[in-house]
């Protein structure tokens, strides 16, 4: 199988179902940003995060492929002529969202209370989490813009929202584990 198809040489690409759209279409921006996020999650997973966190991150990467597939599907072609769903993969579930919440709750039990905003940084692994969090927020912004135009499974939006929170809490947990300084943002006085 060749990787290059030449079908996108004129600036269009195909959605799942065959519909062609411009490569700058909000739908492409949405799932492209989710793909970018998935790559950043892989970078975090490559760090010394501990086996449990690596398993959670692998699960997140799987779910991000599901989200990408959902966003890449033309809403008019979600159903086949037979009436079956075009996508035959599990959808984002309440359990997927609850997993992120439970993981955050467990980590928060070990962390000091936040009294200020925290400046990103302190250790490379922590910085990777903050970058992923920002990309996740961008993916969420793009997905919500797409949702206003063409609605899709609302659980996708909820998952992206929780995931950005999870990445923030993970950054704080890694700061603690790695004994990195968590720098509070204290605005300069004028």
């Amino acid at each position: 199988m060749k990787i290059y198809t030449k079908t996108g040489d004129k600036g269009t690409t195909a959605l799942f179902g065959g519909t062609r759209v411009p490569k700058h279409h909000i739908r492409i921006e949405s799932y492209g940003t989710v793909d970018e996020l998935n790559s950043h999650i892989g970078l975090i997973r490559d760090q010394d995060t501990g086996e449990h966190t690596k398993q959670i991150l692998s699960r997140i990467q799987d779910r991000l492929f599901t989200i990408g597939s959902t966003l890449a599907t033309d809403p008019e072609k979600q159903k086949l002529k037979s009436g079956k769903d075009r996508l035959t993969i599990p959808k984002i579930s309440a359990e997927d969202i609850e997993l992120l919440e439970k993981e955050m709750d467990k980590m928060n039990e070990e962390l000091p209370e936040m009294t200020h905003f925290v400046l990103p940084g302190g250790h490379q692994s922590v910085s990777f989490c903050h970058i992923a969090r920002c990309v996740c927020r961008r993916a969420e912004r793009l997905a919500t813009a797409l949702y206003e135009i063409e609605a899709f499974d609302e659980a996708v939006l909820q998952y992206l929202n929780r995931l950005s929170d999870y990445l923030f809490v993970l950054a704080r947990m890694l700061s603690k584990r790695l004994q990195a300084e968590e720098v509070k943002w204290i605005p300069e006085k004028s």
Side-chain angles (χ1 to χ4, degrees):
M1 180 177 131
K2 289 185 178 180
I3 294 296
Y4 60 93
T5 62
K6 300 183 184 179
T7 58
D9 288 354
K10 293 188 178 176
T12 65
T13 193
L15 299 175
F16 195 48
T19 304
R20 294 202 70 79
V21 296
K23 289 187 177 186
H24 61 271
H25 190 281
I26 184 71
R27 184 170 293 284
I28 309 306
E29 287 287 343
S30 295
Y31 75 74
T33 305
V34 169
D35 187 35
E36 180 184 350
L37 171 60
N38 207 336
S39 296
H40 284 290
I41 299 289
L43 188 60
I44 298 167
R45 194 169 47 85
D46 289 342
Q47 305 301 302
D48 184 18
T49 60
E51 194 54 40
H52 176 76
T53 300
K54 286 182 188 298
Q55 289 173 2
I56 297 298
L57 293 171
S58 289
R59 175 71 180 160
I60 289 167
Q61 287 187 292
D62 176 82
R63 303 290 62 215
L64 289 175
F65 264 100
T66 295
I67 289 172
S69 298
T70 301
L71 296 174
T73 302
D74 181 343
E76 293 180 12
K77 297 188 178 178
Q78 286 179 6
K79 298 280 184 188
L80 299 170
K81 289 179 182 177
S82 65
K84 294 183 178 179
D85 287 341
R86 181 171 296 279
L87 287 177
T88 58
I89 57 176
K91 296 179 180 178
I92 297 298
S93 67
E95 291 78 22
D96 293 322
I97 296 164
E98 288 168 11
L99 175 66
L100 294 175
E101 292 171 349
K102 287 177 184 174
E103 289 298 312
M104 283 187 280
D105 290 344
K106 278 195 287 189
M107 288 188 286
N108 268 327
E109 287 175 7
E110 297 180 39
L111 294 171
E113 185 178 337
M114 271 189 58
T115 57
H116 294 80
F117 285 108
V118 176
L119 296 178
H123 188 281
Q124 187 177 49
S125 299
V126 174
S127 295
F128 289 152
C129 285
H130 283 291
I131 291 168
R133 173 184 57 80
C134 292
V135 173
C136 188
R137 286 287 190 211
R138 179 164 30 99
E140 182 184 12
R141 289 190 303 271
L142 288 165
T144 57
L146 174 61
Y147 186 83
E148 287 181 4
I149 299 166
E150 296 175 323
F152 48 84
D153 183 3
E154 200 173 282
V156 166
L157 299 177
Q158 295 168 357
Y159 190 85
L160 290 172
N161 184 268
R162 288 313 176 288
L163 180 54
S164 61
D165 294 336
Y166 169 84
L167 291 166
F168 178 76
V169 177
L170 180 60
R172 292 196 70 219
M173 177 54 76
L174 290 176
S175 287
K176 181 180 180 200
R177 286 182 191 161
L178 297 165
Q179 298 178 343
E181 182 182 4
E182 195 173 70
V183 179
K184 296 175 183 174
W185 177 61
I186 301 172
E188 293 180 7
K189 299 190 188 225
S190 51

